[in-house]
Each structure stands twice: as structure tokens, then as C-alpha cells.
Amino acid sequence: MAKLTISDLDVKDKKVLVRVDFNVPIKDGVIGDDNRIVAALPTIKYIIENGGKAILLSHLGRIKSDDDKKELSLKPVAARLSELLDRPVTFVPENEGKSVESAIDEMHDGDIIVLENTRFQDIDNDFGKRESKNDPTLGEYWASLGDIYVNDAFGTAHRSHASNVGIAEAMKKAGKPAAAGYLMEKEIKFLGDAVANPEHPFVTILGGAKVSDKIDVINNLIPKSDHILIGGGMAYTFLAAQGHDIGKSLFEPDKVELAKQLLKDADGKIVLPVDNLAATEFSNDASREVVGDDIPDNMMGLDIGPKTVEKFKEILKSAKTVVWNGPMGAFEMPNFAKGTLEVGKSLADLENATTIIGGGDSTAAAKQLGIAPKISHISTGGGASLQYLEGKDLPGIVCISEK
Ligand code: AMP
């Protein structure tokens, strides 16, 4: 069954509680990257343009002390939101109590309120981490403030907190709707539906540091994929499992047997690097050379080599669905970024394919390359997208009402 979405609902004159993901990098009150605020705009605009009242809830960072509260207020985020929308946004420096209730009572249609960081509820009370441990009374309280609840915070969908799951459960109990926002809807459409029922050929590209982080993703995607291209540090444990020399490359000795098993289960679908850019040490300026699939003892593989790039490109050419998670090498160092950037470019060049970038470092690479507009979907979640690709149910999505 499909999930209820914001466009299924009439928001006119309604108090709409929206869980957004405003967990932006912030230092001394200055926002480093406002992408997450921008990503929430379609849902907020829909509400205010259709005569609803938008009451926004989000966490920001982790709150362990009163000092954290000073650093992690949502006040600067509310100010940035106001600039982006070019209209007033009221910031309420609390998220529970009289000041919140009166501010909501005074709202007119089209108004926007940002409540203070939901994780301020993680200290100074008898329950302990009321927000992060999902104190049901907190979810019930927030639910009592509105007529409709919208979850647009995909980045926290793998967690069961009061402001995403508790509130949704309480809304449903009270006979009120809990819907997905536009951003959440897009994440479900691509990371959920497109990956569960891909158009073939379906190519999965995996990279990043460790096999252990991606085991469940590989297990889930082996039966669905036609090819699984593996690069990055995790490739070397697979190469070792095949009996190759991997020199000083990243290696998880306790995962060799598992890598052998995965290679067997994948029955030829897993494609490993045939050459590598190796270096004497983990440094951009280290002396480097392209080697084959055996790495000399004194070197480490830090990127896939040119023949591997060509091989991956050839496979990608005919793909109809591609999902990519994790860089092909230590791409933060410019001398070892080529493999990752070339893979990104070939995704951008695909014309009739659904291309999905599953969060984290591959998202950063896509931005660095400026290819974002040519990708069907770039996930805003890190941990959440990985768990989705593992085929797991995410509590923040499960709790949304069905249509
Ligand atoms: P992950 O968070 O698992 O996606 O891993 C991303 C990290 O893996 C990045 O910081 C990369 O620098 C690192 N990485 C990718 N390939 C390699 C490699 N061959 N050797 C060492 N680190 C790598």
C-alpha cells in the first residue's frame, strides 16, 4: 500500500506540524551548508501557499549539556529559512509549554513557526532523553498542537524518536493524519520503490572504506542487481579473498570468509578492480603508480585504475537503473579522486536511466562534480539511506499513514 502524502491533504486553515531535517552544520551561529533547509522548502511552500499554518520541528546536533544548547539553537536556521522564503518566520525559543501554545494560537493562515531544537528535551528532565528515547508523552504533547502531521525528515527516518515516530503514532491514535512530505515522498520513490522493483539492467556501485559497513546492502542487492561494481577500500578485502596480494591496502581480515561467500552467492555479478592507483603512503603527495590487481608489498591501493574505470563505464552504458553508494577511492585527496569522479560522470551521462546516489560521500562527490541536476535522485540521508538500501523498514516511514 502507498503512503499518504501531503498532496493528498487539504491544509487550508489547518495547523500542520512538520518534522523537517534542519540538522545543518553550524558554528558560532553561522550555517555552513543550507542544503537541508533548501530541501524542505517544497513542503513548507505547499502548506503556506494553500492557506495552512506551518509549525516546524527539527533536531540539530546532539544535546548533552547547557553549553550545547547555546551552540545548537535553531534560531539562525529560522532566520535563514526566512531569507530563503523571503517572508517572516517566527522562532519560538522553546518547544513545549505556554509560549509555544500561545504562538500557535496567534498564527494566521500562511504563517510559519520554527520551534526550538527537539533535542533540548534530551536533558534536564526525569525521563532522560525524552526526544531520542521517544518518551510517548512528548510525542502526544506535540501531536496535540496540530491538526495534521507531516514527516519530511528522511535523514532521521532510521531512528525512532518522539518528533518523528512518537508524534505520528499519537496523531493516528487521535484520528488525525500522518503524511509524508515531498522530500520524504521522493526518497521513498527512489531508494524504496525503484530499488525494490528496478528496471533492468540494474547496476549497483559500492565503494567506501569498509566491507563491514555494506554487508547488508550487498546481501539485499545481490538478487536484484545484474552487476555489482565494487571499488574503494572495501574492494581490497574482496581481492584478498580471491587470493590477490593487496600490500598495505585497507583490509578487514575477519571479513575474508564472508567476502568469499558473497562472491560465490553473487555468481559472477560482483565486478572488482582489474587495476589500481597505488601509493606508498596515505597522502596526496605520496609517490604513486598504476598497478594491476596485485598491489606491491610497500604500496596501498587508493583509487581504481584507468582500465577499471573503462570496465565500469562499459557496464554502466546499458544500465536502466543505477544505485551508487560510496567513493571509488580516497577521493578527498585530489590525486586519488579520478575514479570516483569518472564514475560520477558516467552516471550523469546516462540518458534513459534512473540514477540514484545513496547519500554520504558519493553525494559530496556528485556536488564537487556539479552533476547533481543530471542525477534522478540524490538522497539526503546517510545512515537512513544505507538502511533503506539494506531493505530494512525505517521506523520514520513505517509510522506514516497509508493512503
Ligand atoms: P564510507 O564512509 O564507508 O563511504 O567511506 C568513505 C571513506 O572511504 C572516504 O573517506 C574515503 O577516503 C575512504 N576510502 C575510499 N577508498 C579508500 C581506499 N582505497 N583506501 C583508504 N580509504 C579509502
Side-chain angles (χ1 to χ4, degrees):
M1 258 227 283
K3 292 288 177 186
L4 188 71
T5 70
I6 186 166
S7 25
D8 298 321
L9 299 170
D10 178 7
V11 296
K12 175 115 190 72
D13 300 328
K14 301 277 178 15
K15 290 179 272 182
V16 189
L17 299 157
V18 193
R19 175 53 159 102
V20 284
D21 182 0
F22 283 167
N23 186 29
V24 293
I26 199 159
K27 186 128 187 49
D28 301 327
V30 179
I31 297 166
D33 173 352
D34 66 2
N35 269 327
R36 285 186 165 157
I37 311 176
V38 172
L41 294 179
T43 294
I44 300 169
K45 281 186 181 162
Y46 176 85
I47 297 166
I48 55 176
E49 283 165 10
N50 287 284
K53 301 164 188 171
I55 304 152
L56 311 183
L57 290 155
S58 176
H59 81 283
L60 175 60
R62 289 215 171 124
I63 305 290
K64 294 188 188 127
S65 68
D66 281 332
D67 277 351
D68 294 336
K69 283 188 173 179
K70 277 180 223 135
E71 243 319 283
L72 296 170
S73 166
L74 280 174
K75 191 174 180 187
V77 175
R80 181 74 191 118
L81 177 64
S82 172
E83 281 169 16
L84 288 168
L85 289 169
D86 194 21
R87 59 191 294 154
V89 169
T90 303
F91 172 70
V92 181
E94 286 176 296
N95 57 47
E96 187 181 25
K98 271 253 155 349
S99 62
V100 171
E101 291 147 33
S102 337
I104 293 175
D105 278 347
E106 285 161 20
M107 286 178 92
H108 297 107
D109 291 351
D111 281 355
I112 305 163
I113 275 184
V114 173
L115 300 184
E116 185 54 285
N117 186 351
T118 55
R119 288 198 183 158
F120 278 26
Q121 294 279 359
D122 279 352
I123 57 168
D124 301 335
N125 63 76
D126 295 338
F127 184 92
K129 295 186 171 183
R130 289 188 85 200
E131 154 72 328
S132 302
K133 291 265 154 66
N134 191 7
D135 174 358
T137 65
L138 186 56
E140 277 161 25
Y141 172 74
W142 282 330
S144 74
L145 300 172
D147 308 306
I148 291 174
Y149 168 69
V150 174
N151 189 357
D152 213 18
F154 177 73
T156 49
H158 57 314
R159 305 228 167 85
S160 203
H161 289 177
S163 66
N164 63 343
V165 173
I167 185 173
E169 298 301 347
M171 290 298 283
K172 289 189 292 182
K173 222 158 108 193
K176 298 188 275 191
Y182 287 117
L183 176 62
M184 182 69 96
E185 185 183 11
K186 193 164 178 255
E187 297 278 6
I188 295 173
K189 177 175 161 204
F190 285 101
L191 280 180
D193 302 345
V195 172
N197 297 301
E199 205 187 326
H200 291 273
F202 174 35
V203 181
T204 297
I205 312 168
L206 292 175
K210 290 185 184 163
V211 184
S212 45
D213 290 341
K214 311 269 160 92
I215 294 167
D216 292 337
V217 177
I218 302 175
N219 270 325
N220 183 41
L221 295 183
I222 283 176
K224 297 186 175 78
S225 307
D226 298 288
H227 306 280
I228 300 182
L229 316 182
I230 294 186
M234 63 187 280
Y236 301 104
T237 300
F238 282 95
L239 286 172
Q242 286 185 330
H244 289 287
D245 297 328
I246 56 160
K248 299 192 289 181
S249 306
L250 270 189
F251 177 51
E252 287 170 277
D254 58 330
K255 294 290 177 286
V256 170
E257 284 312 308
L258 178 86
K260 282 184 187 163
Q261 188 59 47
L262 291 171
L263 286 165
K264 199 161 155 234
D265 294 346
D267 199 16
K269 289 181 186 177
I270 290 183
V271 184
L272 295 172
V274 288
D275 62 347
N276 298 276
L277 182 59
T280 46
E281 56 184 305
F282 192 85
S283 151
N284 189 47
D285 304 320
S287 81
R288 55 191 187 276
E289 66 179 283
V290 174
V291 300
D293 49 12
D294 285 299
I295 315 265
D297 284 352
N298 65 333
M299 299 192 102
M300 59 182 79
L302 290 181
D303 196 7
I304 54 175
K307 285 192 187 131
T308 307
V309 167
E310 284 316 308
K311 193 169 179 184
F312 284 8
K313 276 188 175 169
E314 195 54 39
I315 294 170
L316 284 168
K317 253 190 209 159
S318 55
K320 285 277 172 258
T321 311
V322 183
V323 62
W324 177 27
N325 183 292
M328 297 290 99
F331 80 112
E332 297 93 335
M333 298 189 278
N335 285 334
F336 303 100
K338 192 156 189 225
T340 302
L341 300 182
E342 288 294 327
V343 163
K345 271 191 220 155
S346 38
L347 244 68
D349 288 345
L350 288 177
E351 282 187 354
N352 293 309
T354 301
T355 47
I356 302 161
I357 297 186
D361 280 326
S362 6
T363 301
K367 285 194 187 129
Q368 195 178 318
L369 266 173
I371 57 166
K374 290 187 161 176
I375 303 294
S376 314
H377 181 62
I378 299 183
S379 178
T380 52
S385 36
L386 214 51
Q387 279 199 28
Y388 218 1
L389 292 176
E390 289 168 359
K392 293 194 178 125
D393 284 336
L394 306 188
I397 295 178
V398 171
C399 66
I400 294 169
S401 313
E402 303 294 334
K403 266 200 208 273

